[in-house]
């Protein structure tokens, strides 16, 4: 049975997709069968793995019952890593889903029959706390929260943690926080150092030891349709994601 991780933060551009794609690639490379589900209508994880944005069926067709989950799975450039792409209509799901009774359980239900095929399933969430994110949090066992080390890093985290405890209480008691991940970190600047200290002080037990540095190779990898771990495995960004994957696995 797989462990399901949601990569979530309602802020955009904090490194959710980058983290989902690269942690999934590292875990797969370590020999575990892994699935990345693109829960974001922007389909950045889909495109970042070299899969066309318009590929169908995708998660939209699966959520609306037009396709079976297995039919929507596709291979990626990474051996051992499969993807369930977003699907062209996923933006509409944020409007359509709430009309379905018990929609919160929908993603969990559709993933259920394929959970036995994978050791790890990662869910790349959209930048909101809307219906798709709620579905992902209900389907997940653990959440990884990427936090960009910039001036407003802590802003919004309180709201996110409230949402997580609400989901825990009402919909998914199994849900735990795997950790907060500092991303796009620049350790040379005073601001970078200050923000890291502040986040670690606020959440002493939650923040991963591994920090992801700002790294050009990480930023350019998606334009090649590859995780950075394959685009340039010796870059500082790839090494950080390999390290993080080990830490995630060690935390269990
Ligand atoms: P989110 O999914 O939270 O919106 P992304 O993972 O798409 O965030 O990251 C936002 C942008 O920052 C993307 O263009 C991505 O390539 C870039 N990026 C993410 N992490 C890094 C990093 N460590 N170094 C450099 N660029 C990064
Ligand atoms: Mg994203």
């Amino acid at each position: 049975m797989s462990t399901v991780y949601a990569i979530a933060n309602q802020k955009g551009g904090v490194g959710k997709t980058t983290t989902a794609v690269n942690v999934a690639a590292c875990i797969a490379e370590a020999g575990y069968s892994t699935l990345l589900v693109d829960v974001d209508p922007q389909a950045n994880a889909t495109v970042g793995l070299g899969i066309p944005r318009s590929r169908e069926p995708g998660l939209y067709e699966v959520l609306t019952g037009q396709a079976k989950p297995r039919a929507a799975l596709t291979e990626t450039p990474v051996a051992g890593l499969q993807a369930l792409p977003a699907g062209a209509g996923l933006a509409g799901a944020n409007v359509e889903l709430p009309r379905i009774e018990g929609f919160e359980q929908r993603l969990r239900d559709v993933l259920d029959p394929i959970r036995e095929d994978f050791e790890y399933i990662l869910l790349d969430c959209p930048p909101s706390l809307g219906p798709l994110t709620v579905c992902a949090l209900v389907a997940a066992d653990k959440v990884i929260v990427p936090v960009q080390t910039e001036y407003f890093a802590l802003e919004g985290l309180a709201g996110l943690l409230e949402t997580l405890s609400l989901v825990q209480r009402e919909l998914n008691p199994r849900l735990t926080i795997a950790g907060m991940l500092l991303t796009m970190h620049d350790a040379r600047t005073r601001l970078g150092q200050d923000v890291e200290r502040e986040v670690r002080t606020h959440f002493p037990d939650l923040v991963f030891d591994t920090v992801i540095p700002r790294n050009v190779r990480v930023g350019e990898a998606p334009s090649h349709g590859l995780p950075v771990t394959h685009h340039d495995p010796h870059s500082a960004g790839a090494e950080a994601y390999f390290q993080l994957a080990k830490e995630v696995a060690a935390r269990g």
Side-chain angles (χ1 to χ4, degrees):
M1 202 53 162
S2 51
T3 307
V4 182
Y5 286 90
I7 320 301
N9 184 333
Q10 75 275 32
K11 267 196 181 188
V14 297
K16 286 182 292 297
T17 300
T18 306
T19 298
V21 167
N22 287 297
V23 170
C26 291
I27 294 173
E29 188 141 296
Y32 300 101
S33 59
T34 306
L35 172 66
L36 178 63
V37 183
D38 194 346
V39 190
D40 184 357
Q42 290 176 68
N44 292 344
T46 300
V47 174
L49 284 169
I51 303 159
R53 189 181 298 276
S54 57
R55 189 185 184 280
E56 284 182 27
L59 184 61
Y60 176 71
E61 287 73 25
V62 173
L63 284 174
T64 52
Q66 299 170 63
K68 290 257 188 294
R70 256 192 206 96
L73 300 184
T74 175
E75 299 294 330
T76 73
V78 181
L81 174 62
Q82 294 195 46
L84 205 173
L90 196 60
N94 268 318
V95 180
E96 291 167 42
L97 272 174
R99 296 192 194 135
I100 304 172
E101 167 101 31
F103 78 88
E104 297 95 338
Q105 313 287 339
R106 188 91 192 132
L107 180 59
R108 182 182 178 168
D109 290 347
V110 299
L111 289 179
D112 201 48
I114 53 172
R115 274 191 76 163
E116 62 195 24
D117 299 356
F118 299 98
E119 281 155 293
Y120 290 94
I121 299 181
L122 283 83
L123 312 174
D124 183 30
C125 292
S128 80
L129 294 174
L132 282 168
T133 298
V134 171
C135 280
L137 295 175
V138 172
D141 303 305
K142 293 161 192 283
V143 195
I144 295 173
V145 181
V147 177
Q148 189 182 348
T149 50
E150 40 139 43
Y151 183 59
F152 290 114
L154 289 170
E155 191 189 80
L157 280 181
L160 178 61
L161 295 177
E162 258 169 52
T163 303
L164 291 180
S165 36
L166 188 73
V167 170
Q168 261 163 348
R169 224 174 27 243
E170 314 239 325
L171 296 162
N172 180 10
R174 291 167 302 126
L175 187 69
T176 57
I177 300 179
M180 289 182 182
L181 173 68
L182 297 170
T183 62
M184 291 178 248
H185 186 53
D186 190 347
R188 292 164 309 181
T189 64
R190 177 74 190 272
L191 178 64
Q193 295 161 9
D194 286 351
V195 172
E196 176 171 9
R197 194 178 320 109
E198 198 183 356
V199 177
R200 288 194 189 278
T201 306
H202 261 80
F203 306 102
D205 304 322
L206 279 184
V207 186
F208 286 111
D209 294 336
T210 308
V211 172
I212 309 299
R214 183 172 285 284
N215 179 258
V216 184
R217 298 306 224 179
V218 173
E220 70 192 17
S223 68
H224 298 269
L226 289 171
V228 72
T229 49
H230 284 59
H231 173 58
D232 185 352
H234 301 295
S235 61
E239 278 171 10
Y241 274 112
F242 279 122
Q243 188 62 40
L244 173 68
K246 280 190 209 152
E247 204 185 338
V248 169
R251 284 194 180 196

